């Protein structure tokens, strides 16, 4: 027995000794390596790119949206193009949208301050479009030593439409699509700053030829579009923007001004003039009564109106209240710079809508000219936006918002547009013959003389958005909107010429004010906050 105990104790002691020797021979475990180092200089979510002092934050979101009674575009809404025809063929009653964006925010400290580059890219498409049609970058800019260069947001903007609504009621806000800028911001301390910016011109359409200046000698004017008798000078210099701003705990405020080139191209040429003809240019009445329409082809010999500069001035404030509520507003007045009041609508369409045998319409433009007016007549436009946002709970909110927009034409411009819309009477009847241009309306000469044709109009909206956040980065909400068009030429009876490919017939219509209701539902999830 003693021999067995001695054998077991000896074996155990030997195992312990061997184990101890092996443990002593094993390498010491290294301290854990932090492969991704957190960067705390710019807030949560930044990390150092390995081997550099550059901090990077990556984020993005996915969104699904569903619309009712807003036409074929969730951006332009119901008064745009054929969506305003309100029949069972043209436009759309129901619409679906998918949007997904990823963004990259890179920052680095230098002796001149923070060097920042920001990129946001993604897809946005409304049914029935496919995913490959709408890939874009709505942010792509560099900030350094006070400069902002690239695609950011106009420094004229103050009122934030997406902060208070899912819909985009008319405002100066360029934030959704982004805007090209070259700007310098001076910081004066205590939240005060001033920015001087060269910016992409806010023409009525950015594709060539750029719209917004109407030459009424070129023919009649179809409803619902911005490409109205285009005769604008090419882009020669950027818009110039200056703002003065304060941001403090109580809220923020801003005043701003802008200058915008609204010069015309050339006076219209005579399309039937032969080589060496004595009258190569259109006469004063070209295009009136649907006769002798001019052309831009070969128009260089006809000369051009004097250069014209449009301008805009605006101001606004935002007041923060206890509990997270806030109120924001902006007012803007322009001459010859209409997209500083209504950026999105005036870049996509002019409003029109039909209801049975009634229709309403208006024309967006920066200016109007013809051989008769001589110089470009600037269009006056002014508007106001306001919104109040209330938090019922920290994760449950409702906003009420509204906008009002007035467009006014001077006497010479109004008369030129009306004459371009006029046509001869049908026999002895009080009605005009239809125009040869599809989608346009025609007045009789008497209606032009007695002022029945009047192109001043109002466009206003009111709506409410409600949103519930299940988490800080996932929410569901809905927005209802009411739109009203206080039409041009209210009370007139006009002849509408059918637009090719649409169902609305050539017929007589009564011009009356129009209204529309829309619904938008959104489901939104941030991929990374």
């Amino acid at each position: 027995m003693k021999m067995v105990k001695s054998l077991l104790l000896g074996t155990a002691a030997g195992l312990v000794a061997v184990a101890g020797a092996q443990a002593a021979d094993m390498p010491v475990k290294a301290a854990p390596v932090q492969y991704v180092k957190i960067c705390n200089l710019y807030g949560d979510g930044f990390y150092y790119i390995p081997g550099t002092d550059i901090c990077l934050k990556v984020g993005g979101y996915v969104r699904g949206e569903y619309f009712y009674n807003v036409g074929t575009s969730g951006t332009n809404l119901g008064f745009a193009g054929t969506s305003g025809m309100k029949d069972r063929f043209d436009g759309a009653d129901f619409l679906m949208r998918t949007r997904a964006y990823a963004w990259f925010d890179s920052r680095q400290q230098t002796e001149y301050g923070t060097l920042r580059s920001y990129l946001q890219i993604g897809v946005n498409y409304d049914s029935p479009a496919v995913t490959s049609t709408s890939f874009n970058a709505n942010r792509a800019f560099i900030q350094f030593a006070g400069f902002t260069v690239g695609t950011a947001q106009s420094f004229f903007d103050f009122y934030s439409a997406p902060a208070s609504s899912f819909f985009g009621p008319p405002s100066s806000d360029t934030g959704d699509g982004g805007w090209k800028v070259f700007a310098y911001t001076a910081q004066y301390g205590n939240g005060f700053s001033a920015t001087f910016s060269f910016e992409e011109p806010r023409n009525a359409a950015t594709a060539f030829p750029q719209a917004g200046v109407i030459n009424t000698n070129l023919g009649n004017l179809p409803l619902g579009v911005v490409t109205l008798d285009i005769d604008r000078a090419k882009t020669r210099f950027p818009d110039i923007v200056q703002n003065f701003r304060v941001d403090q705990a109580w809220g923020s405020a801003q005043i701003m001004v802008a200058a915008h080139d609204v010069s015309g191209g050339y006076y219209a040429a005579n399309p039937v003039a032969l080589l060496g003809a004595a009258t190569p240019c259109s006469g004063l009445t070209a295009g009136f009564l649907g006769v002798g329409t001019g052309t831009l082809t070969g128009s260089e010999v006809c000369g051009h109106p004097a250069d014209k500069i449009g301008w805009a001035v605006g101001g606004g404030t935002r007041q923060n209240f206890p509990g997270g509520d806030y109120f924001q507003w902006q007012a803007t007045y322009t001459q010859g710079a209409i997209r500083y009041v209504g950026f999105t609508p005036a870049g996509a369409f002019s409003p029109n809508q039909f209801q049975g045998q009634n229709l309403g319409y208006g024309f967006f433009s920066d200016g109007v000219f013809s051989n008769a007016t001589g110089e470009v007549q600037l269009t006056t436009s002014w508007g106001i936006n306001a919104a109040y946002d209330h938090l019922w709970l920290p994760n449950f909110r409702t906003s009420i918002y509204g906008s009002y927009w007035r467009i006014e034409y001077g006497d010479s411009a109004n008369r030129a547009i009306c004459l371009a819309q006029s046509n001869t009477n049908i026999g002895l009847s009080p009605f005009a013959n239809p125009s040869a241009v599809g989608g346009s309306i025609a007045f009789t000469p008497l209606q032009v003389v007695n002022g029945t044709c009047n192109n001043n109009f109002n466009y206003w909206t009111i709506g409410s958005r409600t949103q519930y956040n299940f988490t800080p980065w996932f929410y569901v909400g809905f927005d209802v909107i009411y739109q009203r068009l206080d039409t041009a030429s209210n009370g007139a009876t006009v002849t509408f010429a059918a637009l090719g490919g649409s169902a609305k017939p050539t017929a007589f219509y009564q011009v009356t004010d129009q209204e529309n209701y829309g619904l938008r539902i959104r489901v939104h999830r941030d991929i990374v906050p």
Side-chain angles (χ1 to χ4, degrees), residues 68 115 151 174 247 315 320 339 362 421 436 446 464 473-474 491 500 518 523:
Y68 181 72
L115 169 60
T151 300
T174 61
D247 294 274
N320 298 327
R339 290 193 78 187
Q421 292 179 294
L446 180 60
S464 179
W473 308 287
F474 172 59
V523 181

Side-chain angles (χ1 to χ4, degrees), residues 210-281:
Q210 294 176 333
V213 178
I214 299 173
N215 182 347
T216 57
N217 291 133
L218 296 178
N220 217 326
L221 306 170
L223 305 184
V225 300
V226 294
T227 51
L228 304 164
D229 291 343
I230 297 171
D231 194 1
R232 186 181 207 118
K234 65 184 179 183
T235 299
R236 301 178 296 171
F237 51 83
D239 284 8
I240 300 172
V241 172
Q242 174 73 61
N243 77 27
F244 300 92
R245 183 179 177 110
V246 59
D247 294 274
Q248 296 178 345
W250 59 267
S252 54
Q254 179 175 294
I255 57 174
M256 52 281 196
V257 295
H260 173 68
D261 185 16
V262 65
S263 301
Y266 292 101
Y267 294 116
N270 183 353
V272 297
L274 300 176
L275 182 64
T279 57
C281 302

Side-chain angles (χ1 to χ4, degrees), residues 68-71 76-80 83-84 86 92-93 167 352-355 459-462 480-485 513-519:
Y68 181 72
N69 205 38
V70 299
N76 297 334
L77 305 184
F79 290 156
S83 293
K86 295 293 184 181
D93 289 339
F167 286 112
N352 78 125
Q353 182 167 281
F354 292 74
Q355 294 286 354
Y459 180 24
W460 54 277
T461 65
I462 187 170
V480 291
I481 191 170
Y482 169 78
Q483 302 169 269
R484 182 177 174 87
L485 175 63
D513 296 338
Q514 299 291 316
E515 58 186 20
N516 188 63
Y517 300 86
L519 170 67

Side-chain angles (χ1 to χ4, degrees), residues 6 8 16 35-36 51 176 187 318 326 388 392 452 483 498 518:
S6 298
L8 291 175
V16 170
Y35 291 100
V36 178
D176 187 40
Q187 300 286 350
R318 169 174 166 147
Y326 67 85
Y388 185 84
W392 305 99
T452 301
Q483 302 169 269

Side-chain angles (χ1 to χ4, degrees), residues 332-338 341-342 379-383 405-408:
T332 308
Y333 180 90
T334 76
Q335 289 193 3
I338 196 168
V341 180
T379 305
T380 296
S381 176
W382 59 271
W405 190 2
R406 172 71 174 171
I407 293 89
E408 297 177 351

Side-chain angles (χ1 to χ4, degrees), residues 56-67:
L56 178 67
K57 185 175 182 178
V58 179
Y61 68 85
V62 174
R63 177 184 297 168
E65 293 187 296
Y66 309 91
F67 303 79

Side-chain angles (χ1 to χ4, degrees), residues 140-166:
F141 63 83
I142 297 170
Q143 290 179 316
F144 179 63
F147 289 94
T148 300
V149 181
T151 300
Q153 181 170 355
S154 172
F155 286 92
F156 189 91
D157 298 347
F158 179 79
Y159 177 88
S160 176
S164 300
S165 61
F166 297 158

Side-chain angles (χ1 to χ4, degrees), residues 97 112 144 165 251 378 441 478:
R97 167 177 288 182
Y112 301 100
F144 179 63
S165 61
L378 299 184
I441 57 176
F478 68 92

